[in-house]
Amino acid sequence: MSTASSHRHRDVHLSADTRAALLLEEMTLEEKCAQLTAVWPWKLIDADGADGEGADEFLKTPPGHIPAMSADDPNRIARMTGAIQRQFVTRTRLGIPALIHQEALNGLMAGGHMVFPTAIGLAAGFSPELVREMTDLIRRQMRRLGYGQALSPVMDVALDPRWGRVHETYGEDPYLCAAFSVAYTRGLQGENLSDGVIATAKHFLGYGLASGGINLSAYEGGDRRTRDLFAYPFEAAIQLAGLRSVMNSYGDVDGVPAGVSREVLTDLLRDTLGFEGFVSSDYDTVKQVVTRQRAAATPGEAARLAITAGLDVELPVPFAYGEALVEEVRSGRLDEQAVDACVLRVLRAKFELGLFENPYPQEHIDVAAIAGEGRELSAELARRAVVLVENDGILPLDRQGLTVGVIGPHADAAWLQFPTYAYPSWRDAVKAVDLGEALTMVGGETPQTAWNKAIFTSEDSDTFARERYGTRPLHEEIAEFAGTVLTEPGSTLTRELGESAAERVADIAARSDVVALGGASLWFNGERTEGEGSDSADIALPEAQTRLAEAVAATGKPHVVVLFQGRAYTLPEVVRRAAAIVVAPYGGPFGPKAVAEVLFGAVNPSGRLPYSIPRHTGQIPVYHHQKSGTGYRNPIPPGTSELYLDMPGTPLYTFGHGLSYTDFTLGDLTCDPETGTQGTVRIATTVTNTGATEGATVVQLYVRVNTSGVTRPAQQLAGFCRVELIAGEARCVTFELAAAQLGYTNAAREFAVEPAKVDFFLGFDADDRRVEGTFELVGEKRVLTSAERSFLSEAAAEHA
């Protein structure tokens, strides 16, 4: 092993694979193992960019990655990333740049950059093309600041609303999750990774169905469900968008922690799904194999299990992949070739990103200019995310002289629009740790008070949201339309505020023509109803907020309920009886404005629920694509009127549901009668706006494949098309559905598309069978590799 680099890997005319192999030849075992680890930025530099106390020691065998570095000032971020890269490039033996990562679920998690609605809100808009536009912007922003990897998006299919992280996902349907996962990955990684950012799909696998709905818990599911349902979004992003990184789940899969499961990370992810990138551990994964799951006794054993499973990088700091990994190789317990395979994947990614040629961020950031980037896009995504689920005609509200009472914890709290993985909430959570509060985010519990004092300004959460993003609370946005607005929180998210607050609520309700109520959430600390490590056994709307609704209803005044939520809540009868119900996600800077625009008709609502809302917690799970003969897809037993003795088995509101201020019809169905197992079927219908108002709807295609020998979903979403129509306008919506999209794991455990009768329907939600039909898949059984699969149908709307 040479003491200096030969620089052969610097030849830009060579492929990334060749350059990675050449560089690997020059690395010591210690350098290889370090390349699979990370170090907190404050170990290398101070907040002003000067060397940290431990810099020299870390640079002797430099780690390959730097975790989550952020600040209020983008120029400070650029200075810090630049300072770290100069250390790596100019002061280490081989000059290998670091790969610096950051979160970017709904906007780059860095000060001075736009925030967009949380992921469940993006899904409610049924507009993946706008998410690709969003991540195209995030890509440029991250490259500008020196970031090369985003620990996003979350591709988990969320089937249990007790889980606090539902709002980070794209909902309950694997097809919808795939459509958004592909759009996100394409926008972030770009046409060529040399000017892109690596997307990291979370969390492989089954994380959205943890036992008991409790974060980190085991996933229990057979091979068919795992491949056909939970792997679907990941596989689509791999095959259609070239996904370059995957993050493991914390949970067990079939009794083995996912982070040390060769069946999960190699047999399934690489060999079956065709993944060629690198696997990034979720924070503290390998450590938890020892301390929580007790599947290894020592760091060295955990390292050996993880490396041979296919876990390439340990984040956020080395527990097993540093010195312990070196010792496993030196002792002969681990073949060095297993380490080499992981290092090659990391080095290849760095060459693909162009880090060796361009390791540094932009030298100067125009803070005022970048603060406005994506502003209109964020506002439009927030508008499309608002779902009108009930309306007896009270909405839209009359703008002339109306007195509106805005009651509830969201009434005057702009900062509640920023949930987990949005920069303002992250900032608030980190500052809380410095004050000694508990943080529920795994791997982020250590306070760095001096560092944080330097990178954060002194504003509190609400001031920060108002001054940095222009966010205004709901009552101020409603005041732009109403004659008079009266407001009172009435309660916190989960607690009543006493008799005087109750009296104020009653007084405001009595003096208002219409009353609007609010909903819930927060991040890793403080009072909250959702978030990471913030799960609920009972998903009922908090009792304190139910009592607000009861106080308002007691006046007999018509009222509108606005539920700010990132997952399904079961709704008390008093809320169900409201004149109208609006569901809105955590919409970011323009969430309250979007709600006000919908309430007063400045925007015609077009959002659709990306999850089903159950009637009761006891129904869980209640997702629309349950298998035939399972859950509420069972026939009602003889002699009974419902599946349960005490209530229907169906959800209160189904997936895809959403109302408008105009009306739409479907008709003129046409469909190819048959197609071969290698062919494509064309399904078309005419959608017409029969109302008097311009609006948008989402035409949804659902299929059932009548298979032999295995039970399949009673229905699957197979396509959707958002269509905007003026009053009286009609358009022909056409779906091109490839037979290869209808593959599944058959009775012989082959992934195949087989001859079958396929039933389908088109409608405006998962229970809306406006038009129905069938077609035949004919010909020979076709066994499919991942590369031969089709994942997303083609949909188009043309003038009828």
Side-chain angles (χ1 to χ4, degrees):
M1 205 69 67
S2 63
T3 58
S5 173
S6 68
H7 298 295
R8 292 182 298 161
H9 62 277
R10 299 274 179 188
D11 186 347
V12 297
H13 298 98
L14 300 175
S15 69
D17 284 314
T18 300
R19 296 176 72 184
L22 288 170
L23 180 53
L24 183 72
E25 291 176 359
E26 303 189 30
M27 298 177 73
T28 66
L29 175 61
E30 287 77 9
E31 287 169 335
K32 292 175 185 178
C33 293
Q35 193 65 205
L36 306 181
T37 69
V39 60
W40 292 116
W42 49 80
K43 298 291 187 179
L44 298 171
I45 61 170
D46 294 331
D48 61 3
D51 272 10
E53 289 185 7
D56 287 337
E57 191 63 30
F58 280 104
L59 293 175
K60 290 178 182 178
T61 50
H65 307 261
I66 303 295
M69 179 168 56
S70 199
D72 285 354
D73 178 8
N75 276 304
R76 181 186 288 274
I77 297 172
R79 288 195 298 271
M80 291 192 298
T81 58
I84 286 176
Q85 291 293 32
R86 278 186 289 276
Q87 288 178 333
F88 279 71
V89 171
T90 67
R91 294 166 56 185
T92 64
R93 188 177 74 86
L94 295 173
I96 302 173
L99 184 54
I100 304 174
H101 66 245
Q102 185 51 278
E103 303 284 353
L105 180 69
N106 53 322
L108 173 57
M109 206 171 77
H113 294 79
M114 185 52 60
V115 175
F116 300 89
T118 194
I120 203 73
L122 301 175
F126 276 71
S127 302
E129 72 283 356
L130 294 189
V131 169
R132 182 170 181 175
E133 185 179 336
M134 177 191 83
T135 54
D136 181 70
L137 172 61
I138 294 171
R139 172 182 60 81
R140 299 193 304 272
Q141 292 172 333
M142 293 188 76
R143 292 292 298 217
R144 182 191 294 148
L145 292 182
Y147 297 116
Q149 181 184 7
L151 301 189
S152 309
V154 174
M155 297 186 185
D156 298 311
V157 180
L159 301 186
D160 192 333
R162 294 174 298 179
W163 185 46
R165 302 187 71 173
V166 170
H167 75 83
E168 298 175 38
T169 77
Y170 300 122
E172 74 175 40
D173 185 85
Y175 182 96
L176 187 69
C177 291
F180 279 90
S181 297
V182 169
Y184 186 105
T185 304
R186 282 175 170 166
L188 192 74
Q189 295 191 169
E191 295 297 325
N192 189 308
L193 207 56
S194 63
D195 63 357
V197 171
I198 291 171
T200 307
K202 304 193 295 194
H203 306 82
F204 200 76
L205 194 64
Y207 200 49
L209 190 60
S211 291
I214 299 172
N215 198 46
L216 310 185
S217 297
Y219 157 68
E220 307 293 346
D223 291 345
R224 287 188 177 88
R225 192 181 206 193
T226 300
R227 167 74 190 279
D228 297 2
L229 195 163
F230 289 104
Y232 194 89
F234 296 87
E235 189 173 7
I238 290 165
Q239 293 297 335
L240 300 182
L243 176 69
R244 302 306 292 154
S245 187
V246 165
M247 178 176 282
N248 65 276
S249 164
Y250 281 121
D252 303 349
V253 178
D254 193 24
V256 180
V260 296
S261 172
R262 186 170 180 84
E263 289 181 341
V264 170
L265 299 182
T266 296
D267 298 347
L268 177 59
L269 179 61
R270 296 192 184 280
D271 297 345
T272 300
L273 306 188
F275 178 66
E276 296 181 347
F278 66 90
V279 177
S280 306
S281 85
D282 207 342
Y283 281 19
D284 282 352
T285 286
V286 189
K287 182 178 181 180
Q288 290 191 37
V289 170
V290 176
T291 61
R292 179 174 65 86
Q293 292 154 307
R294 304 299 178 93
T298 65
E301 182 185 4
R304 189 169 67 251
L305 291 172
I307 282 284
T308 55
L311 187 76
D312 297 304
V313 177
E314 182 184 13
L315 299 176
V317 293
F319 169 79
Y321 272 24
E323 294 179 1
L325 183 57
V326 172
E327 177 56 28
E328 289 301 299
V329 176
R330 296 275 190 230
S331 67
R333 290 187 292 269
L334 179 66
D335 192 321
E336 188 171 351
Q337 289 184 351
V339 175
D340 289 351
C342 297
V343 177
L344 279 171
R345 288 191 280 261
V346 171
L347 293 178
R348 180 180 63 189
K350 292 185 177 185
F351 283 115
E352 289 175 330
L353 286 166
L355 284 181
F356 285 82
E357 291 70 53
N358 185 25
Y360 301 116
Q362 188 170 308
E363 289 187 3
H364 177 73
I365 309 297
D366 186 336
V367 175
I370 68 168
E373 291 178 335
R375 183 179 180 86
E376 291 305 315
L377 178 60
S378 181
E380 179 59 21
L381 284 165
R383 295 183 191 107
R384 294 192 185 192
V386 178
V387 184
L388 177 62
V389 296
E390 287 285 358
N391 185 21
D392 70 356
I394 190 174
L395 296 180
L397 300 174
D398 187 350
R399 305 187 197 186
Q400 303 300 317
L402 194 67
T403 299
V404 177
V406 184
I407 296 170
H410 271 269
D412 63 353
W415 62 280
L416 286 177
Q417 290 295 314
F418 299 90
T420 54
Y421 293 99
Y423 180 73
S425 288
W426 174 83
R427 177 184 186 273
D428 188 59
V430 172
K431 292 176 75 172
V433 173
D434 288 333
L435 297 175
E437 295 185 28
L439 182 66
T440 58
M441 177 186 177
V442 176
E445 305 91 342
T446 305
Q448 294 296 328
T449 305
W451 173 280
N452 293 334
K453 281 183 177 179
I455 65 172
F456 296 140
T457 55
S458 60
E459 299 107 316
D460 60 34
S461 301
D462 203 65
T463 302
F464 191 83
R466 285 175 177 270
E467 294 185 354
R468 299 300 180 100
Y469 299 96
T471 310
R472 300 196 300 177
L474 185 60
H475 77 90
E476 290 186 23
E477 294 293 354
I478 286 177
E480 294 294 317
F481 298 95
T484 303
V485 175
L486 308 173
T487 186
E488 167 60 42
S491 75
T492 68
L493 294 175
T494 61
R495 293 181 290 103
E496 297 180 55
L497 290 177
E499 186 175 337
S500 61
E503 291 173 354
R504 292 192 298 273
V505 167
D507 177 63
I508 287 174
R511 292 190 290 131
S512 304
D513 297 314
V514 175
V515 177
L517 294 165
S521 178
L522 202 56
W523 205 13
F524 298 128
N525 62 293
E527 184 188 19
R528 59 197 182 275
T529 62
E530 302 175 42
E532 186 171 347
S534 303
D535 313 307
S536 300
D538 185 357
I539 62 167
L541 192 70
E543 180 64 26
Q545 295 186 52
T546 298
R547 296 198 181 197
L548 288 183
E550 290 170 343
V552 170
T555 67
K557 295 275 188 174
H559 61 282
V560 178
V561 173
V562 178
L563 297 167
F564 287 104
Q565 61 185 50
R567 59 164 172 84
Y569 290 77
T570 56
L571 305 179
E573 189 62 31
V574 66
V575 169
R576 297 189 203 182
R577 294 198 305 265
I581 302 174
V582 172
V583 170
Y586 309 115
F590 308 106
K593 180 179 177 65
V595 168
E597 289 173 337
V598 165
L599 292 178
F600 287 88
V603 169
N604 193 347
S606 63
R608 296 292 186 270
L609 290 175
Y611 49 75
S612 301
I613 297 181
R615 302 171 188 273
H616 189 275
T617 301
Q619 289 181 286
I620 297 169
V622 75
Y623 52 92
H624 83 90
H625 50 90
Q626 290 179 332
K627 289 188 279 188
S628 296
T630 297
Y632 79 95
R633 299 303 181 185
N634 262 315
I636 297 175
T640 63
S641 59
E642 302 291 353
L643 282 170
Y644 295 110
L645 290 175
D646 51 354
M647 69 179 62
T650 55
L652 180 63
Y653 299 108
T654 191
F655 171 87
H657 172 69
L659 303 178
S660 171
Y661 295 148
T662 191
D663 296 307
F664 300 94
T665 61
L666 291 180
D668 301 327
L669 174 66
T670 62
C671 176
D672 297 333
E674 66 177 42
T675 188
T677 53
Q678 299 197 38
T680 298
V681 67
R682 180 182 179 274
I683 301 171
T685 186
T686 299
V687 56
T688 305
N689 181 348
T690 58
T693 305
E694 179 180 356
T697 190
V698 180
V699 180
Q700 301 161 41
L701 169 65
Y702 295 88
V703 302
R704 167 173 165 71
V705 184
N706 295 285
T707 54
S708 174
V710 299
T711 306
R712 295 289 295 143
Q715 62 187 54
Q716 301 169 252
L717 181 66
F720 59 87
C721 185
R722 187 178 186 276
V723 188
E724 297 183 6
L725 300 169
I726 62 173
E729 184 182 8
R731 293 206 173 192
C732 179
V733 177
T734 302
F735 294 93
E736 299 283 346
L737 178 65
Q741 189 180 317
L742 304 179
Y744 67 101
T745 303
N746 64 17
R749 296 196 177 275
E750 304 162 317
F751 194 90
V753 55
E754 298 181 328
K757 176 187 174 185
V758 180
D759 303 315
F760 71 87
F761 68 90
L762 295 126
F764 300 127
D765 65 43
D767 285 340
D768 182 31
R769 296 173 175 265
R770 294 292 173 109
V771 292
E772 301 183 67
T774 64
F775 63 88
E776 296 284 342
L777 285 175
V778 298
E780 298 297 319
K781 175 181 71 175
R782 182 183 171 203
V783 178
L784 301 170
T785 66
S786 184
E788 293 169 330
R789 291 191 67 180
S790 178
F791 297 93
L792 303 175
S793 58
E794 297 291 331
E798 300 176 344
H799 289 289

